[in-house]
Amino acid sequence: MTINPSAAALIARSNRLGADPRNTNYAGGNTSAKGTEIDPVTGETIELLWVKGSGGDLGTLTESGLAVLRLDRMRALAGVYPGLDREDEMVAALDYTLHGKGGAAPSIDTPMHGLVDAAHVDHLHPDSGIAIATAADGEALTTTIFGDRVAWVPWRRPGFQLGLDIAAIRDANPQAVGCILGGHGITAWGDTSDEAEANSLRIIETAAAFIAHHSQAEPFGPELAGFIPLAPAERRAKAAALAPTLRGLVSTDAVKVGHFTDAPEVLDFLSRAGHPRLAALGTSCPDHFLRTKVKPLLLDLPAGASVDDSLTRLQELHEQYRADYQAYYDRNAGPESPAIRGADPLIVLIPGVGMFSYGANKQTARVAGEFYLNAINVMRGAEGLSTYAPINEAEKFKIEYWALEEAKLQRMPAPRPLAGRVALVTGAASGIGKAIATRLAAEGACVVIADLDLSKAQAAAAEIGSADVAIGVQANVTDEAQVQASVDAALLAFGGLDLVVNNAGLSLSKSLLETTVADWDLQHNVMAKGSFLVSRAAARVLIEQKLGGDIVYISSKNSVFAGPNNIAYSATKADQAHQVRLLAAELGEYGVKVNGINPDGVVRGSGIFAGGWGAKRAAVYGVPEEELGTYYAQRTLLKREVLPENVANAVFVLCTSDLSHTTGLHIPVDAGVAAAFLR
């Protein structure tokens, strides 16, 4: 079916506006268009309103993300509007104005778009516009900057009444092309899609130019002695050292995934005298504080403070933050308010180092950080011209614990089994490791793919998903520094670590007399020593986080089965198998489970078999190499070939809540080899 021209123009405009972060934040703002279509029932021409649906993102908006309403019915709702006290009822009333199946769910801003008498309307959250909207004298600044071309609308919570207010202002000011919404953002309109877009950009760019020309030189005040940013390597090392404890603190109520940034804007803000005052004021735009909470947790120590001193102080500040947030909830909650959603911070600011942001998943955590960066830009603009004056606490609470927001949260799909967990898989660019990483990501985990070959690790990560799902890092597991670097990469990319899979390995098929010391050392260094180094580095994180965790060893049937011409490989696999038992005994008190998998005959997709091991094992058994998988299958009880995905399935099961009481176990994934039965 051909898309309506008005809707097509709306989607193109939305994508252009949403592609530039100067115009609006991710999933923030909304756009609309009015047009006509033929009613398929009556054959008459009807007016429709297309508007971005609830929760959508302008930059990636498609036709399926549009709500479609009958304009006459939507506007008729003004006749039954019961007033501010019952304003929320109007959201459900919008369902009776939908055209056909209605498309996406209408957002709370839909009345603004339908009631304003203009064919095309944009509501956006640009930093420059919100800076004016949150300035103490924002109304006067609006007049100074725009004259009568842009009107001022005092703060009002989004909803039907705000739509009526803006419509009235539009009617009373026909020369205006838009308005500044106090404490919130901007709205612009036009008779055509191009005109609306041009008016939106004109407001954004004019505000930005005015701020750039008239702002005082140091909006956040002078630099604070001792708060200057650390050198890049030093600040990232400190961030990695703080991350495990921080992750544990912010996960007191619910496990969070993290994101770290040391963006110049963040570091500059934290180096200035005004940052404690401004951080305490919190954000203003509803989209901002819904993602960041009303204020961040700010470490009140200089950049050079030691890691130990910083951790001690962060624990004290976290306790105070939780008490303050509970008090904020208690001051503002009413009998019908939703229950408190957790008192942990979502933004943690570390002077000289940067910002950690947290959420239920990596994307949410990253976007929260981006929103606080938006808030810093807003504060800079407002302070440069005037004084930053966000909406008050009571209004913030009404937004944060709005029944409509609660309903939106309740509509979210149930999390996948490994949601909120961060996994590190070694040797994961191919074969068993890649299958494991793929399965863990499919079940909701964030995954770090560590491999000797960086380009292959990055390619494997890209196959799995975006950087919000998987990243690739280079790691020679025999090198202590590289192992630690891979763990640090997980901490900086995802805020923590929960699940480690020791999979890196290689094999040389040689008899005892053919095996050299170098052969022996190579295999023991990669698998026995490498697993030890990875487990030790990971255990430090798991213990500091106090969230439990899983360590899984990919051992082998050969750890318990004696076969010919395999002395070095089988011996090191036996070493790995006993590491499982030793670490299970040692780490149990921290809630860390340690288990192993004993695969056998994983030929297809295996890097080990493709690297010459397959040919040598085939020669040992007297079969063609291409038939080795079939040979292995026929010697099993189930007569089934073992694939990398079968091993991945076992890893997944070990890490789920279904086996929460299992540690020190080895699971055979060999299709049944009686000689390798565990006794």
Side-chain angles (χ1 to χ4, degrees):
M1 183 175 178
T2 304
I3 185 172
N4 185 284
S6 296
L10 167 62
I11 293 169
R13 176 174 99 242
S14 303
N15 294 162
R16 289 192 297 270
L17 289 170
D20 189 338
R22 292 173 296 183
N23 297 334
T24 200
N25 45 266
Y26 173 81
N30 32 70
T31 51
S32 69
K34 303 176 182 76
T36 60
E37 274 198 357
I38 301 300
D39 188 323
V41 176
T42 66
E44 297 176 352
T45 299
I46 54 172
E47 287 189 283
L48 297 179
L49 169 69
W50 292 269
V51 59
K52 191 204 83 170
S54 178
D57 174 54
L58 290 177
T60 56
L61 183 67
T62 62
E63 185 179 7
S64 64
L66 295 174
V68 189
L69 300 88
R70 283 281 298 262
L71 186 60
D72 58 342
R73 293 179 64 82
M74 189 268 129
R75 287 179 168 172
L77 290 177
V80 296
Y81 174 51
L84 273 174
D85 291 344
R86 295 169 56 193
E87 182 181 29
D88 288 357
E89 297 174 20
M90 301 305 289
V91 175
L94 290 172
D95 290 345
Y96 295 94
T97 73
L98 298 175
H99 175 63
K101 294 183 178 180
S107 77
I108 191 64
D109 287 313
T110 299
M112 175 198 308
H113 292 273
L115 296 172
V116 169
D117 187 18
H120 298 266
V121 178
D122 296 333
H123 169 58
L124 304 171
H125 300 151
D127 295 346
S128 61
I130 304 175
I132 306 303
T134 56
D137 53 349
E139 184 173 5
L141 280 170
T142 299
T143 301
T144 299
I145 298 169
F146 302 104
D148 64 357
R149 297 285 284 169
V150 176
W152 171 265
V153 180
W155 161 260
R156 187 181 294 282
R157 190 178 67 165
F160 204 88
Q161 187 60 55
L162 180 60
L164 289 170
D165 292 350
I166 296 175
I169 287 173
R170 165 78 170 88
D171 293 342
N173 298 273
Q175 77 287 351
V177 299
C179 55
I180 300 291
L181 309 183
H184 186 165
I186 74 165
T187 296
W189 47 76
D191 292 332
T192 67
S193 184
D194 288 345
E195 184 178 277
E197 182 176 1
N199 288 338
S200 293
L201 294 176
R202 187 175 300 114
I203 294 172
I204 295 167
E205 293 165 359
T206 301
F210 187 89
I211 293 169
H213 184 70
H214 295 278
S215 177
Q216 59 175 297
E218 296 182 329
F220 295 145
E223 289 184 339
L224 275 175
F227 284 73
I228 306 304
L230 301 174
E234 187 179 0
R235 63 180 178 252
R236 293 181 73 80
K238 186 173 181 180
L242 298 175
T245 296
L246 271 178
R247 205 286 186 98
L249 292 174
V250 303
S251 297
T252 299
D253 291 318
V255 174
K256 305 287 196 307
V257 174
H259 173 76
F260 173 75
T261 180
D262 55 356
E265 297 88 345
V266 174
L267 295 172
D268 176 72
F269 173 66
L270 295 174
S271 72
R272 301 288 177 165
H275 83 265
R277 171 181 63 86
L278 293 167
L281 290 175
T283 56
S284 184
C285 176
D287 265 11
H288 291 180
F289 63 77
L290 281 172
R291 301 271 191 161
T292 66
K293 271 201 163 79
V294 290
K295 66 178 182 179
L297 187 156
L298 171 66
L299 178 61
D300 54 0
L301 295 178
S306 70
V307 169
D308 287 344
D309 287 347
S310 298
L311 290 175
T312 298
R313 184 59 179 148
L314 283 167
Q315 292 176 67
E316 296 169 350
L317 290 169
H318 176 255
E319 184 177 348
Q320 184 60 53
Y321 187 100
R322 287 179 58 83
D324 289 348
Y325 190 86
Q326 183 68 58
Y328 153 77
Y329 178 86
D330 293 342
R331 281 193 303 272
N332 294 285
E336 297 183 3
S337 296
I340 191 170
R341 297 194 194 104
D344 296 316
L346 298 179
I347 302 292
V348 179
L349 302 173
I350 312 293
V353 175
M355 171 175 65
F356 286 93
S357 52
Y358 296 92
N361 53 53
K362 168 66 176 187
Q363 183 192 57
T364 303
R366 174 179 55 77
V367 170
E370 291 172 358
F371 277 28
Y372 199 80
L373 184 56
N374 290 135
I376 290 173
N377 293 334
V378 166
M379 289 186 278
R380 182 187 298 106
E383 288 283 308
L385 300 179
S386 174
T387 301
Y388 175 62
I391 61 176
N392 64 44
E393 176 187 282
E395 289 298 317
K396 290 182 180 182
F397 184 86
K398 290 177 184 177
I399 295 287
E400 186 177 0
Y401 284 93
W402 202 352
L404 298 177
E405 284 296 329
E406 183 70 14
K408 186 187 297 185
L409 293 173
Q410 296 302 321
R411 290 196 302 268
M412 295 180 68
R416 287 174 287 175
L418 299 183
R421 303 196 73 188
V422 180
L424 170 66
V425 185
T426 65
S430 63
I432 292 174
K434 186 177 180 181
I436 292 169
T438 301
R439 179 65 191 273
L440 297 179
E443 300 294 347
C446 299
V447 180
V448 178
I449 292 179
D451 199 89
L452 196 59
D453 189 317
L454 176 59
S455 62
K456 290 182 179 178
Q458 292 174 331
E463 285 183 40
I464 290 173
S466 72
D468 287 340
V469 177
I471 64 168
V473 300
Q474 194 276 333
N476 180 343
V477 295
T478 70
D479 186 306
E480 185 175 0
Q482 289 193 34
V483 167
Q484 186 60 53
S486 66
V487 171
D488 289 349
L491 296 173
L492 295 179
F494 301 116
L497 186 60
D498 304 288
L499 198 168
V500 176
V501 182
N502 281 307
N503 172 74
L506 78 161
S507 184
L508 304 173
S509 179
K510 293 184 179 181
S511 68
L512 171 64
L513 298 183
E514 293 174 317
T515 300
T516 66
V517 171
D519 295 334
W520 178 273
D521 287 345
L522 175 61
Q523 294 190 80
H524 279 72
N525 282 341
V526 171
M527 289 178 282
K529 177 185 174 183
S531 296
F532 155 71
L533 291 175
V534 172
S535 296
R536 186 181 64 174
R540 292 191 182 110
V541 173
L542 300 178
I543 291 169
E544 287 182 37
Q545 285 181 155
K546 300 179 181 179
L547 297 173
D550 285 277
I551 299 176
V552 180
Y553 279 66
I554 306 303
S555 183
S556 170
K557 170 216 67 175
N558 286 15
S559 65
V560 293
F561 173 80
N565 301 329
N566 210 5
I567 177 65
Y569 177 80
S570 295
T572 195
K573 284 300 180 181
D575 185 314
Q576 284 186 306
H578 199 48
Q579 284 188 39
V580 168
R581 293 182 280 269
L582 293 168
L583 297 186
E586 184 172 338
L587 299 178
E589 66 177 291
Y590 303 107
V592 177
K593 301 186 290 122
V594 187
N595 293 290
I597 309 290
N598 288 350
D600 181 47
V602 184
V603 178
R604 277 195 272 172
S606 169
I608 288 179
F609 277 89
W613 168 261
K616 292 177 180 177
R617 298 315 292 170
V620 168
Y621 296 118
V623 298
E625 183 180 359
E626 62 272 16
E627 296 178 13
L628 185 60
T630 302
Y631 169 81
Y632 281 142
Q634 291 307 308
R635 72 181 188 181
T636 70
L637 299 177
L638 297 175
K639 303 296 189 269
R640 297 172 185 169
E641 184 176 355
V642 181
L643 304 176
E645 290 73 19
N646 302 132
V647 182
N649 295 342
V651 173
F652 164 65
V653 171
L654 278 172
C655 298
T656 63
S657 58
D658 289 345
L659 290 184
S660 61
H661 290 57
T662 299
T663 191
L665 173 71
H666 283 274
I667 296 182
V669 182
D670 56 13
V673 177
F677 282 177
L678 298 174
R679 296 175 176 85

